[in-house]
Amino acid sequence: MQRNPVQLFDAESSTYTYILSMPGEKAAVIIDPVDHNLERDLAHLQRLGLELAYVLETHAHADHVTSAGRLHEMTGARTAVPSGCGIPPAELQLNDGDSVRFGANEEIRVIHTPGHTGGSMCYLWRGNVFTGDTLLIDGCGRTDFQSGSAEALYDSVTQRLFTLPDDTLVWPAHDYKGQSVSTIGWEKRHNARLANRTRAEFVEIMANLHLPKPKLIDVAVPANRNLGLPHSA
Amino acid sequence: MQRNPVQLFDAESSTYTYILSMPGEKAAVIIDPVDHNLERDLAHLQRLGLELAYVLETHAHADHVTSAGRLHEMTGARTAVPSGCGIPPAELQLNDGDSVRFGANEEIRVIHTPGHTGGSMCYLWRGNVFTGDTLLIDGCGRTDFQSGSAEALYDSVTQRLFTLPDDTLVWPAHDYKGQSVSTIGWEKRHNARLANRTRAEFVEIMANLHLPKPKLIDVAVPANRNLGLPHSA
């Protein structure tokens, strides 16, 4: 049975954080938590009667700092990160095809989707895919820093994500227009950057975005490579 | 099986709108949609492959205008509102104990919870309660206009909502702190205004809030009593 996650929004960085759990079970997983929402996120776990088993990161973020290290210290949850993102203190270094198991019978499948960053991962759970900054609703993440590659992102989305079932729910790491969720089927047919585009067309679109450097990148990336902790983890 | 709704946020009025549906079924219900998010909400229905069966209102809102009438006109969905809220053009006037049925086997139970307004309703579906402005996360709606009554709100929450199972998920119509969801069990034990308070204590708290008049009330309430339509519905 498909099961929607709880979706939490950070208005400062327009980041979505997700809590995954099953009715009647205590074990939970959180994906991409943000440092200044630590108390809010802990309150949600408490209100829902959950115990955190894992903290997952989709990549080393450039626009906000994770609370993964603090959540690990405060709850005992294990930290799990993409192996290619340079986050040495994490307990689990995830590779393509790995599974993260929690609760009685829950399995999160790990899909390596390079493009936004070289190490970026997506996570698949019960008909939901958590796409990080790889695939956004009617958009995608930028590809111009942190080993980003438009070619790689095109291949990741078209070969790894668009081959999932059409009714798979797409839960992105960001949205800037109040949008919450999409489906693989819709994005495959309508995504403004990726649907009905050749690889060369997509690469040209991405080469001409001329985006400013993220304000927080020089602080956020080193911090996220230490799980957001000020001290050695 | 409990099934989470899709939660959509309106940053302007801090309003939550909900879409209810079951995997593999087309029929959907939307609760408390906001006028200027019409396109966004229609896009979500399209992305999720859903057809709108009902538009539900928890009450006649004072802080934003509904898109119920427009959604009805554009999708053919039936409009369903609390009978005590003075919204004559709605097709269904709901009373306590009514059920709204959609899809193959879905039932939404109607609970009359006067207090924020005299007509306010909460809606119960698959272990989720949509509490409107009656019960908020760690708070509650104000009771100083539109036939509001602190006494009635106390009775509605303590006798009608706090008697639901502890693990019932609480989905409010507003949140101002980035909080998404709570549970009846947590609110019963910890809600700052309502947990462990006598009726008299609660009434005194509500009498001393000294809240300003909502900016939109003189526009929003008449508009919502016409389902948000500029013309006669």
Side-chain angles (χ1 to χ4, degrees):
Chain A
M1 169 68 88
Q2 197 176 54
R3 162 83 176 162
N4 290 4
V6 167
Q7 184 177 49
L8 294 152
F9 188 63
D10 177 54
E12 212 168 288
S13 61
S14 296
T15 299
Y16 281 128
T17 294
Y18 297 96
I19 297 175
L20 287 53
S21 70
M22 286 302 284
E25 293 189 23
K26 283 197 172 305
V29 167
I30 196 164
I31 300 178
D32 288 340
V34 176
D35 54 358
H36 52 256
N37 296 324
L38 179 67
E39 295 304 321
R40 179 199 70 178
D41 297 345
L42 288 168
H44 274 76
L45 294 167
Q46 195 198 9
R47 289 193 192 110
L48 299 168
L50 298 174
E51 289 170 9
L52 203 56
Y54 285 99
V55 187
L56 262 62
E57 298 286 331
T58 54
H59 62 292
H61 313 281
D63 49 1
H64 64 271
V65 175
T66 182
S67 63
R70 293 276 286 146
L71 282 168
H72 163 71
E73 291 181 345
M74 296 180 74
T75 70
R78 302 183 76 190
T79 48
V81 302
S83 62
C85 284
I87 310 176
E91 292 165 283
L92 261 78
Q93 298 289 332
L94 300 170
N95 293 299
D96 185 61
D98 283 354
S99 285
V100 176
R101 290 170 196 279
F102 69 102
N105 201 26
E106 301 308 303
E107 179 180 2
I108 299 170
R109 196 152 64 83
V110 176
I111 309 173
H112 183 209
T113 52
H116 172 62
T117 74
S120 290
M121 298 286 195
C122 294
Y123 299 114
L124 186 66
W125 175 69
R126 285 191 179 266
N128 302 284
V129 62
F130 300 91
T131 53
D133 289 12
T134 302
L135 178 63
L136 305 180
I137 298 176
D138 204 17
C140 67
R142 60 196 288 179
T143 53
D144 57 338
F145 54 60
Q146 286 179 273
S147 317
S149 156
E151 290 85 353
L153 191 135
Y154 185 86
D155 294 343
S156 291
V157 171
T158 57
Q159 294 169 27
R160 303 302 304 275
L161 300 182
F162 284 176
T163 52
L164 295 170
D166 272 7
D167 62 356
T168 307
L169 294 177
V170 172
W171 302 96
H174 295 287
D175 193 85
Y176 306 92
K177 296 177 182 173
Q179 304 171 121
S180 295
V181 63
S182 186
T183 56
I184 288 295
W186 193 91
E187 296 302 329
K188 204 158 64 177
R189 288 190 298 274
H190 302 290
N191 185 291
R193 286 194 187 158
L194 285 148
N196 309 310
R197 303 272 191 200
T198 65
R199 195 170 189 259
E201 284 168 353
F202 177 74
V203 169
E204 197 184 328
I205 290 169
M206 297 307 284
N208 288 291
L209 293 180
H210 306 302
L211 297 167
K213 184 179 166 184
K215 274 176 289 188
L216 283 182
I217 190 168
D218 295 331
V219 173
V221 173
N224 285 321
R225 290 192 164 145
N226 196 40
L227 294 174
L229 291 170
H231 51 271
S232 88
Chain B
M1 168 69 89
Q2 196 176 54
R3 161 84 175 163
N4 290 6
V6 166
Q7 185 178 48
L8 294 152
F9 188 63
D10 177 54
E12 214 169 284
S13 61
S14 297
T15 299
Y16 281 127
T17 294
Y18 297 96
I19 297 175
L20 287 53
S21 70
M22 287 301 285
E25 294 189 22
K26 282 197 174 304
V29 167
I30 196 164
I31 301 179
D32 288 339
V34 176
D35 55 358
H36 53 255
N37 296 323
L38 179 67
E39 295 304 320
R40 178 199 70 179
D41 297 345
L42 288 169
H44 274 76
L45 294 168
Q46 194 197 10
R47 288 192 193 110
L48 299 168
L50 298 174
E51 290 170 8
L52 204 56
Y54 285 99
V55 186
L56 262 61
E57 298 286 330
T58 54
H59 62 293
H61 314 281
D63 48 1
H64 65 272
V65 175
T66 181
S67 64
R70 294 276 287 146
L71 282 168
H72 163 71
E73 290 181 346
M74 296 181 75
T75 70
R78 302 183 76 190
T79 48
V81 303
S83 62
C85 284
I87 310 176
E91 293 165 283
L92 262 76
Q93 298 289 332
L94 301 170
N95 293 300
D96 186 61
D98 283 354
S99 285
V100 176
R101 291 171 196 278
F102 70 102
N105 201 26
E106 300 309 303
E107 178 179 3
I108 298 169
R109 197 152 63 83
V110 176
I111 308 172
H112 183 209
T113 50
H116 172 60
T117 74
S120 290
M121 298 285 195
C122 295
Y123 299 114
L124 185 65
W125 175 68
R126 284 190 180 266
N128 302 285
V129 63
F130 302 90
T131 53
D133 290 10
T134 302
L135 178 63
L136 305 180
I137 298 176
D138 205 16
C140 67
R142 59 197 288 179
T143 54
D144 57 339
F145 54 59
Q146 288 180 271
S147 316
S149 155
E151 290 84 352
L153 191 134
Y154 185 87
D155 294 343
S156 292
V157 171
T158 56
Q159 293 169 28
R160 303 301 305 273
L161 300 182
F162 285 176
T163 52
L164 295 170
D166 272 6
D167 62 356
T168 308
L169 294 178
V170 172
W171 301 96
H174 296 287
D175 193 87
Y176 306 91
K177 297 178 181 173
Q179 303 171 122
S180 295
V181 62
S182 186
T183 56
I184 288 294
W186 193 90
E187 297 303 328
K188 203 159 64 177
R189 289 191 297 276
H190 302 291
N191 186 291
R193 287 195 188 156
L194 284 147
N196 310 309
R197 303 268 191 204
T198 66
R199 197 169 188 259
E201 284 168 353
F202 177 73
V203 169
E204 196 184 330
I205 291 169
M206 297 308 283
N208 287 290
L209 292 180
H210 306 302
L211 298 167
K213 184 178 166 185
K215 273 175 290 186
L216 283 181
I217 190 167
D218 295 330
V219 174
V221 172
N224 286 321
R225 290 191 165 146
N226 196 39
L227 294 175
L229 292 170
H231 51 272
S232 89

